[in-house]
Structures are given as C-alpha cells and as structure tokens.
Amino acid sequence: MTSPETEFVSILGTESSGPPPRISSRSLPEALPILGLSDIVIFPSALVPLLVETGPSLKLIDDVVAGDRLLGVVLQRQPEIVEPKPEDLYDVGCVARLVKMVKFPDGTARVLVEGLWRIHIREFAASSPYLSARFDLLRDETEDSVELQAILRNAHKQFEEIAKLSPALSDQVKIAALNTEHPGHFADLIAGNLNLSLEDRQKLLETISVRERLQKLLPMLNREQEVLTLSSKIQNDVASSIAKTQRDFFLREQMRAIQRELGEGEPGSGEARSLREKIDQTPMPDEARKAALQELERLQLTPPAAAEYAVARNYLDWILNLPWEKETEDKIDLKEAERILDEQHFGLRKIKERLLEFLAVIKRRKQIKGPILCLVGPPGVGKTSLGKSVADALGRKFARIALGGMRDEAEIRGHRRTYVGAMPGRIIQTLRRIESRNPVILLDELDKVGADFRGDPAAALLEVLDPAQNHTFTDHYLDLQFDLSRVLFVATANWLEPIHAALRDRLEVIELPSYTESEKLEIAKRYLVPRQIEEHGLTRQDIKFSDAALRKLIREYTREAGVRQLEREIAALSRKAARKIISRNGAAVTLKLDANGLKNYLGHAPFVSETAERITEYGIATGLAWTPVGGDVLFIEATRMRGKGSLLLTGSLGEVMKESAQTAVSYLRSQAKLLDLDLSNYSKFDVHIHVPAGATPKDGPSAGVPLVAALASLLTKRLVRSRLAMTGEISLRGRVLRVGGIKEKVLAAVRFGMREIILPEQNKADWLDVPAEARAKLKVHFVQHISDVLRLALEPK
C-alpha cells in the first residue's frame, strides 16, 4: 500500500478534538480489517490518499466499502514486503474511515481515508483473505498545566518560522496549524505534514502522552527550521550572484555603448592598447604575430569576468614572453673551453676531446646541425656537470630537464588549450624561463622515461632531438611552430637498453667509464674535500685528510663507479669536525684524519674484499659482470649430490645465463675423455650451480667461462686459482667468444683485489681502452678455447 503523489489533495480535519460527526468510538466493531502501509503513517484527523494494488488489499477495500467503511491502517516494518504478515506490522496504528474510492481499468484503486483514533493491536483474528485484528483504543493523555502550554507556544512559534521558509506547506496546513489550540491535535497535524522519517512519525504515533509527544516534536521542528534557513540562504546567495553577474553585464554593455557614442573607446582599451604595442614591438615570426592579434581581438570581445578572458590573456602572455629571436652570442675559444673542462673535471681525456671536437664544428659552421650528444655511464661519474661545462665553454645559458619518471607525453608537447589549467610543455617552459632560444638544455636520465595510457614521452622526444625536424617543433598549447634547431641538447643516461630504438638512433653516444682508484683520489683532493669543507663552514686548518685516509675511504668505505658515496663519507667526516669545534666553544682544533683513525669516526668498513681468503674448495670460480652502475664480481658456486643427473640453477638467473650453464655442462660431458673426466656415474648425481646475492637478478652470456671453470673444478677435484677473475661467452664447440663491458669489468676486478684476469681473444682491442693504472695491476690472459681457460684457471693436481 503506497501513497500516490497526485491523485488526491490532502484535506485537513476540523479543529475539534472529537471524532467526525455520525461516528462514535462506541460504535467501533470488536475487530477491524488491517491494511499495511509501506511509505506513510496516518495520524488522527488526517485525510490521506492511498493507492491499492494487491489482490488481498483490493478485497479488503471492497468489503470495507460494502460494510461500515472502517479499517485499521498500520505501518509496515519493511516497506518492500508486498503482502505483510502480522509480524511485519507495527503494534500501533490508526482507525480510519474510507471516504472515497475510485477504481481504474488497470485493476488498481485509489482511496481517500480519514484518520480517527489511535489503536493498539491486541491480537490478530484472521489472516485470510486479509488481515483482521482485535484492538484497544488509545486515548490522548493530556493535562492542563503551565508546562504543556509553554511547550505548545514554543512549538507554535517554531512552526510559524518554518511556515515562512517552507514552500512545500500549503496555506490550508499553515492556517489550520496556527489556529489549532488543542495540543494533541496540533502535534498530530504537524507530525503528518513535517518532513520527518517514517521511524520518527511512528514514534510520535505511538506516544500517547501529549506533553511527551510535543517534547519529541520540538527537536524535530528545530532541525527542520535550521535546514530550511540554510537552504534559503544558499538560494538567496545563488540568486544574488546571478543577479549581480547579469547587472554587471548590462552595465558594461551600456558603458561600451556610451563610450562608442562619445568616441572615447571601450573599457579595457588601455590594456588592449598596451598588448597591441607589445605585439608590434616583440620580434616574432609572422605566424605567431597573426595568432597573437587574433587572440587580442577575441580578448577585447570577452567580458573580463568570463573564464575565457583569463585563458586568452594567459595565452597572449606566453606568446609575448617567448624568446622568438632573443639569443646569446657564442664565444667559442677552444683553449678556454679546454681550460674550463680540465678545471671542472679530472681525467675523462677522450670525452673531453670529443666535446672539444663538437665545439670546433659549431664554431666553423656557426650552427648546430648534427647528432645529439648522449653521455652514458654509471651514476656519479660527472655526466650532468659535463653538460654544464659545455654551456660554460660556449657562453650560453644552461637548463636541466629531469626526465626520470616522466610518463605523460604532454610534459614534452604541452596540453591543448581546451583543458582547464593547460600549460605548454617543459621545453617551451624552459625557454621562457631562461629567455634565450639557443641555450644548452640537459635532458637528464633519458633512460628513466616511462610510458602509460597518457602516451609515451620518448615518442615526443623524437621530434625534439631530430635536427631535421625540430626547427618546426609545435607545442600543443601554443599551436605554433617554434625553432629548436639553435638549442644544444645534451642527454644523459645510465645505460642505453631502455631507450627507445628510434630515439637511440638519433643520439651520438659518448660512454663515460668508471673512475680508477687514483682518479677518485685526485677528484677527492681537488673537488670533493674543498667543496665539503666550504659547505660545512670549515677551513683547511680545521680538518686535514691524508692520502692514506682517502685511499682507505675509496677501498673499504665505498664500492662504486663514481664518487657520490665517497663525497657522502667526506661530508660525514666534515660534520664530525664541525661538531668537535662547536663542543670546544670555537677553540682552534684541527682534525687530522689518517687511515687508522677512520674507524673511530665512521665505524667498521662495510666493504671487505671477498677474495682476501684463498679458494680452498672445489667448484668455486670468480666471474665478472657489467651493471648499469659499473662493473661487479660474481662468485660461481657448484656442488653435487646423489640424485638422477639433474642440473639445478639458483640465484635469480636469467634465461641466457641458464643456457650458458647448460652449454657448460654439455661441453664438459662431450669432452670428458679429452679432459680426463670420470663421468661414469654422472646419472647418479645432481649438479647444483648457485650464484650468491640471490635477490639480485643476473643474466647475460659473459658468465659462460666462470661457469665452465667452476664445473670443471668440481668434476676434476682441482681448485680454481685464487685472485683470478674471468669473463667470456662459450659455445658448444668450446670457443670463447667476445663480450661487452670490458672496461667496467676490469675496473671491478681491480677494486676487488684480483691479480689476474682471463679475457676472450676477441676483446684485445677493448683491453687497450682500460686505464693504464688498472692494466698495470692485472696480468691478463687472452684465450680462444675452453681448454686454454681450464689450463690457466685450475690448480695442478
């Protein structure tokens, strides 16, 4: 049973507290048919329209119309129940009289019922064909007290305020409520018409005491008044805002019309005149000037209060502040450039020579038309500072754009102006900030660029870094061509593998090697120590580093290709010195650091050479690996146990490295006689190969040589020589093939204290690229075949 919204208009009862004429409570039957209500609570004296749809309810209505027209109306506990049972109904409801019924062709009926008295259902007499129940009549418990009158007056006052604010209340309801003096009738009238939940209305219906009913009603009236007051305020604010906007628009249009008649121009003409003068004075291409003038015309027709006004004004600012023709003059002096490079960087002779050649070409051609330089090397070797040095040598402005973690193409090309808060890309933003069209821009961490659903920034960089295309670079925000051909782009990366192939093709790669120990020592003495002394507010008299202390820092407290960790350790020692000076109230104290005293300040050395102990077990060999942060040493371990001839591989090995281990096993089994290996019981044992540091993924073919050496040591029971490192790819025919990263691997071998190294014969040319200092510390063996490896690597029996 539901309450239709438009079928009937509610009719209020009379002001009398008694029942309607011709009906007396004494004439009520012993049992009444009960009609369940799903979404309405009917109070005494209220006329309410209802919609009847279900079969049992329609039968009930027909019987009531044919009888005395009396029925009980009770709220359901759960409104979704179509045919409620006794347990689905509340205990308290209302006796109602059916005033009017209208049936429709769709089988439903609309009825109008009038509430008479509260009832309490004592027990249900029948459940078929519809519910009927015996009941007790509930009379209002009223009293003639000053407190009740005070509560009634307070409720009257609050309802008057609600009536002024609520458009939903009809005039009939307002008049009837304000003219009702009976407290119970007033409470029921307000409860039936106030915007309350079904639970709150049911509680008011169940409250027999008139004073308690009014006391429960007062907080509800107060809450409704607050809601209506706030709603009215919001509506007034919105209406006044709209009215002000319309008023301002009409006044502005009137002002324009008056000023046009007087020949005084339009409001805002001063700003427009200033912008037009700036457009005429700013050197820019014709296309950009035309776009600026069009935008200015659109700006003049747009009201300043409109959102489009700020968008157009911002766009004009970008066009007018870009360095279309503004540039710095190149001052290329190769001797001065060489001095700057030598002053700011130690070593890196080949890299400096390549940069000077690059500058010489620029001086001859007077323009940049060639490949983009990309400095590739481990962290901390000076890639970013080299880019700054190039700018200093050219006399150009320098800017750095960090590409690490960039995943949105719009970061490069900008956002289209249709988006809220749109801005140009990082390239255009940088040019505006440094106010030059020919700076040196360093694209840092090119290998860290990502891609997702917003696009691939690397694809946008294809145009930026292509000298044949970047003279017509178009930013999405500007939608104008900007010439980037005069910008000198320098990129940096830790390694080339993640860089997009098409982008990599546009780069001229210059590899920066790892620093040797002597290079790190010189860098520390020339740059790191003075810089940290200055940054910590010290002088050279406050702290002194001996060469032995710096060498120990390099060997035992750092293990890196660059010098960043070394600088952090020097900074830690500088902090110790600063604290020592402060603790002695500024008295002259000199902290002299030698090799033996480092432990007192920095604790135990974290890196102790893993090759300090002699290899004393079979199946262990030392390999060399290349990583993006420099070379490293791998220890290959092999063992065997009873099994079924299986090969177990552990240590986070990649597919290529696993295949190298399979190749090593196959070669040794195929050459067992030649190598004097007893493999008669091979199928009764499992071989397990493990590479420590299992959390670090490892892959590549260069571990083939140390793998075959470890397996041969295990099977022949001959130790691999200590302090011997090796690298190289192997084939099933026993050939040792060329591998990459020789320079980094050799430097790693030196750092780990190796004395000898085995390299493929095909890598002889790479050996010459290794710094002479590192070559002097190692004895190298070039091999072509695995038999040469085993002859050099295994101790005699």
Side-chain angles (χ1 to χ4, degrees):
M1 185 64 54
T2 59
S3 174
E5 299 178 359
T6 59
E7 298 297 337
F8 296 106
V9 178
S10 295
I11 303 174
L12 295 172
T14 64
E15 298 178 24
S16 171
S17 62
R22 297 186 301 278
I23 294 182
S24 170
S25 60
R26 297 177 181 178
S27 63
L28 292 176
E30 182 181 354
L32 284 174
I34 302 299
L35 182 65
L37 305 177
S38 61
D39 61 354
I40 189 170
V41 176
I42 297 178
F43 287 86
S45 302
L47 275 166
V48 181
L50 300 175
L51 172 64
V52 183
E53 296 177 300
T54 62
S57 298
L58 288 169
K59 171 66 174 170
L60 182 150
I61 294 298
D62 289 339
D63 291 350
V64 168
V65 171
D68 56 8
R69 291 182 171 249
L70 296 177
L71 71 159
V73 287
V74 184
L75 179 66
Q76 298 175 192
R77 297 182 185 275
Q78 297 180 359
E80 64 272 9
I81 298 176
V82 177
E83 296 183 7
K85 298 178 180 179
E87 60 270 17
D88 298 325
L89 301 176
Y90 283 96
D91 296 334
V92 177
C94 186
V95 177
R97 181 179 66 173
L98 195 150
V99 178
K100 185 177 181 181
M101 179 185 72
V102 179
K103 286 196 173 182
F104 289 86
D106 60 357
T108 62
R110 270 70 167 174
V111 297
L112 186 67
V113 298
E114 177 187 11
L116 300 177
W117 300 280
R118 287 176 170 79
I119 60 170
H120 178 268
I121 297 176
R122 188 169 66 252
E123 61 179 356
F124 283 89
S127 59
S128 178
Y130 45 78
L131 294 176
S132 65
R134 298 181 180 87
F135 60 92
D136 295 324
L137 199 64
L138 301 178
R139 302 280 186 179
D140 282 353
E141 295 178 359
T142 185
E143 59 188 60
D144 186 13
S145 65
V146 176
E147 182 183 2
L148 181 60
Q149 291 300 318
I151 296 173
L152 179 62
R153 289 184 183 181
N154 194 6
H156 265 290
K157 185 176 180 181
Q158 284 192 330
F159 186 74
E160 287 178 11
E161 297 297 326
I162 292 174
K164 295 176 183 178
L165 297 171
S166 176
L169 290 175
S170 66
D171 292 338
Q172 289 177 321
V173 173
K174 296 176 183 177
I175 294 171
L178 296 176
N179 292 328
T180 299
E181 297 296 334
H182 190 277
H185 188 192
F186 175 78
D188 290 343
L189 182 63
I190 300 306
N193 289 276
L194 202 63
N195 186 19
L196 302 177
S197 65
L198 291 176
E199 290 76 7
D200 288 340
R201 290 185 177 184
Q202 180 65 28
K203 288 178 182 178
L204 292 173
L205 182 68
E206 293 174 356
T207 305
I208 306 304
S209 171
V210 174
R211 181 170 60 82
E212 291 181 9
R213 195 184 312 161
L214 284 172
Q215 285 177 334
K216 290 181 180 180
L217 192 60
L218 282 177
M220 300 177 187
L221 286 168
N222 188 48
R223 182 182 60 190
E224 183 69 13
Q225 182 182 352
E226 291 178 356
V227 171
L228 289 172
T229 302
L230 182 59
S231 176
S232 177
K233 181 179 180 301
I234 293 172
Q235 290 179 354
N236 292 335
D237 291 344
V238 172
S240 61
S241 175
I242 294 174
K244 183 180 183 304
T245 302
Q246 292 174 342
R247 177 175 173 274
D248 291 347
F249 175 77
F250 288 125
L251 289 175
R252 196 174 292 110
E253 290 301 316
Q254 289 176 354
M255 286 178 62
R256 287 182 178 177
I258 294 171
Q259 289 180 343
R260 278 196 297 268
E261 290 295 327
L262 296 175
E264 295 180 356
E266 297 187 0
S269 59
E271 183 182 19
R273 199 162 40 245
S274 174
L275 288 171
R276 188 176 297 276
E277 290 175 0
K278 194 170 182 181
I279 292 172
D280 294 336
Q281 295 172 3
T282 302
M284 65 178 72
D286 294 339
E287 181 189 10
R289 194 181 309 280
K290 181 180 178 182
L293 291 172
Q294 289 177 349
E295 198 67 23
L296 178 60
E297 292 177 5
R298 189 179 297 113
L299 185 72
Q300 289 177 286
L301 298 174
T302 306
E308 291 80 5
Y309 186 89
V311 174
R313 187 70 176 81
N314 192 41
Y315 180 70
L316 277 174
D317 284 341
W318 275 102
I319 293 180
L320 295 174
N321 288 296
L322 280 177
W324 298 97
E325 304 290 340
K326 189 177 180 180
E327 61 182 28
T328 55
E329 183 181 353
D330 288 341
K331 300 176 181 179
I332 303 178
D333 183 342
L334 293 184
K335 289 187 178 179
E336 177 66 14
E338 185 175 5
R339 185 194 66 79
I340 291 174
L341 290 173
D342 288 337
E343 182 182 278
Q344 297 181 358
H345 297 84
F346 180 80
L348 306 176
R349 178 51 48 193
K350 287 189 176 182
I351 288 85
K352 292 177 182 177
E353 289 177 0
R354 178 62 187 90
L355 292 175
L356 291 171
E357 293 167 2
F358 185 72
L359 297 178
V361 173
I362 295 176
K363 184 174 183 179
R364 291 291 296 174
R365 295 192 61 182
K366 306 296 184 185
Q367 61 179 344
I368 303 171
K369 285 288 184 182
I372 307 299
L373 297 181
C374 181
L375 306 176
V376 178
V381 295
K383 301 183 295 297
T384 303
S385 57
L386 270 174
K388 179 69 169 64
S389 299
V390 171
D392 293 341
L394 282 170
R396 294 189 179 189
K397 294 184 177 181
F398 175 78
R400 171 181 169 271
I401 298 178
L403 301 180
M406 185 180 292
R407 295 180 175 274
D408 191 354
E409 179 192 1
E411 292 278 357
I412 303 297
R413 290 191 176 276
H415 299 82
R416 301 191 186 277
R417 281 195 293 156
T418 52
Y419 296 105
V420 176
M423 292 183 66
R426 300 276 289 278
I427 303 293
I428 297 297
Q429 290 183 41
T430 300
L431 292 175
R432 175 182 174 175
R433 186 178 69 252
I434 62 180
E435 299 180 346
S436 174
R437 68 170 181 169
N438 67 335
V440 175
I441 295 182
L442 182 77
L443 302 175
D444 210 7
E445 307 293 355
L446 185 60
D447 54 330
K448 308 300 189 302
V449 173
D452 61 11
F453 65 94
R454 293 169 292 183
D456 186 356
L461 286 171
L462 293 176
E463 181 184 2
V464 174
L465 299 182
D466 191 341
Q469 301 179 39
N470 61 10
H471 64 284
T472 58
F473 173 74
T474 302
D475 187 275
H476 286 161
Y477 179 82
L478 294 177
D479 201 22
L480 297 170
Q481 292 183 356
F482 193 95
D483 185 4
L484 296 180
S485 62
R486 296 178 180 272
V487 179
L488 175 56
F489 290 102
V490 179
T492 70
N494 292 131
W495 59 322
L496 291 174
E497 188 65 27
I499 301 176
H500 194 286
L503 185 58
R504 194 162 59 234
D505 185 58
R506 287 163 167 77
L507 305 174
E508 178 175 344
V509 177
I510 300 178
E511 295 188 358
L512 278 71
S514 305
Y515 289 123
T516 62
E517 182 179 306
S518 61
E519 287 175 334
K520 290 182 180 181
L521 178 62
E522 287 299 320
I523 291 171
K525 291 164 64 177
R526 295 189 187 188
Y527 307 105
L528 306 184
V529 170
R531 182 161 64 213
Q532 291 303 320
I533 287 177
E534 181 181 355
E535 288 183 0
H536 287 81
L538 304 173
T539 66
R540 291 184 177 272
Q541 302 303 319
D542 296 326
I543 184 171
K544 294 184 181 296
F545 292 84
S546 67
D547 287 0
L550 291 174
R551 285 189 182 276
K552 188 168 184 179
L553 273 180
I554 295 167
R555 289 174 182 170
E556 299 185 12
Y557 287 86
T558 67
R559 181 158 292 173
E560 57 181 343
V563 292
R564 283 192 181 142
Q565 182 61 33
L566 176 60
E567 185 169 15
R568 283 192 284 268
E569 297 296 339
I570 293 173
L573 292 170
S574 300
R575 290 194 298 272
K576 305 286 186 185
R579 180 183 176 185
K580 192 172 184 180
I581 292 173
I582 295 300
S583 63
R584 297 195 180 185
N585 299 322
V589 178
T590 300
L591 182 63
K592 296 181 179 180
L593 296 171
D594 55 20
N596 296 328
L598 290 180
K599 181 180 177 181
N600 299 328
Y601 297 101
L602 300 178
H604 292 285
F607 301 106
V608 178
S609 176
E610 297 181 51
T611 60
E613 295 185 7
R614 184 179 179 84
I615 295 177
T616 57
E617 297 180 35
Y618 305 127
I620 299 177
T622 306
L624 297 173
W626 178 92
T627 71
V629 295
D632 203 356
V633 170
L634 293 179
F635 294 94
I636 313 294
E637 300 176 351
T639 187
R640 62 190 302 193
M641 71 289 289
R642 291 193 174 276
K644 299 180 180 180
S646 301
L647 176 63
L648 305 177
L649 301 170
T650 57
S652 296
L653 308 186
E655 289 300 321
V656 177
M657 198 165 178
K658 291 179 180 179
E659 291 172 0
S660 296
Q662 293 282 1
T663 303
V665 171
S666 298
Y667 174 79
L668 292 175
R669 292 182 65 185
S670 65
Q671 303 294 324
K673 290 185 179 181
L674 184 63
L675 299 174
D676 193 22
L677 298 176
D678 182 13
L679 300 179
S680 57
N681 58 351
Y682 181 83
S683 61
K684 298 180 180 179
F685 291 88
D686 289 342
V687 175
H688 185 176
I689 298 176
H690 177 69
V691 183
T696 305
K698 311 168 191 71
D699 204 359
S702 62
V705 166
L707 282 168
V708 77
L711 287 170
S713 169
L714 177 68
L715 298 175
T716 61
K717 298 191 181 301
R718 296 167 61 186
L719 297 175
V720 175
R721 295 167 58 193
S722 300
R723 295 186 180 271
L724 170 68
M726 57 196 82
T727 185
E729 182 179 357
I730 59 173
S731 71
L732 281 174
R733 292 182 295 164
R735 295 179 57 200
V736 178
L737 306 178
R738 175 189 179 91
V739 292
I742 293 298
K743 185 185 301 182
E744 285 75 16
K745 292 176 180 178
V746 171
L747 292 176
V750 172
R751 285 201 307 271
F752 276 79
M754 297 296 171
R755 301 287 176 79
E756 297 180 63
I757 188 171
I758 295 177
L759 298 177
E761 181 74 24
Q762 298 171 357
N763 285 109
K764 262 190 176 181
D766 299 312
W767 173 254
L768 300 177
D769 291 335
V770 177
E773 176 193 351
R775 284 183 288 163
K777 294 182 179 180
L778 292 171
K779 181 179 180 180
V780 63
H781 304 279
F782 294 104
V783 295
Q784 294 180 329
H785 200 271
I786 292 178
S787 59
D788 300 328
V789 174
L790 300 183
R791 175 175 52 81
L792 293 168
L794 300 180
E795 297 276 5
K797 288 186 177 180

